[in-house]
Amino acid sequence: DTSMSAQEVATAFIGHYYNLCDTNVDELAGLYQDGSLFTVEGEQHQGAANIVAKMKSLGQLAHVQQSLDVQPSLSPSAISIFATGAITIGGTQQMHFAQYFQLVATGPGAYYLQND
């Protein structure tokens, strides 16, 4: 069996996600779909264009991921992920962050962010 475990999928996907957050925010659009939801500081944004616009409005980001907790979700095609670490926004003082993700499979080895 060559399929990846939920932990392997999450580790690869979230590493890619934070790399894009920090280096090329526009490319994040490919990780979301129209129904995807992103919530930050109580504000909810839906759809790839709105999510990327919000991310860009935050300024330059720099993430240092410290932990990644992964669980298969209720649906066999979904994975729940909780990440923590340190973030620098716009070159300001580093802060701690905690972030929840739900990945949903669109096919073998292909996932998108439904919730972030």
Side-chain angles (χ1 to χ4, degrees):
D1 183 12
T2 60
S3 65
M4 294 171 66
S5 71
Q7 183 73 44
E8 290 169 325
V9 169
T11 299
F13 192 100
I14 298 306
H16 178 61
Y17 171 88
Y18 286 132
N19 180 57
L20 291 179
C21 283
D22 298 349
T23 63
N24 191 351
V25 175
D26 289 316
E27 291 293 315
L28 286 171
L31 304 183
Y32 296 98
Q33 293 191 351
D34 290 345
S36 296
L37 297 172
F38 171 73
T39 304
V40 62
E41 295 182 339
E43 290 182 11
Q44 192 171 68
H45 306 274
Q46 183 172 349
N50 292 329
I51 292 168
V52 169
K54 177 58 182 178
M55 296 282 283
K56 290 176 83 168
S57 77
L58 298 174
Q60 178 64 46
L61 304 176
H63 292 83
V64 177
Q65 181 188 318
Q66 294 168 336
S67 74
L68 193 68
D69 296 323
V70 179
Q71 295 180 343
S73 194
L74 188 58
S75 161
S77 65
I79 301 171
S80 292
I81 304 164
F82 185 72
T84 64
I87 185 171
T88 305
I89 302 173
T92 61
Q93 183 177 352
Q94 196 174 60
M95 301 174 284
H96 292 286
F97 78 88
Q99 193 166 8
Y100 169 80
F101 303 90
Q102 181 169 238
L103 295 182
V104 176
T106 56
Y111 291 84
Y112 75 94
L113 282 166
Q114 172 59 41
N115 305 95
D116 175 1

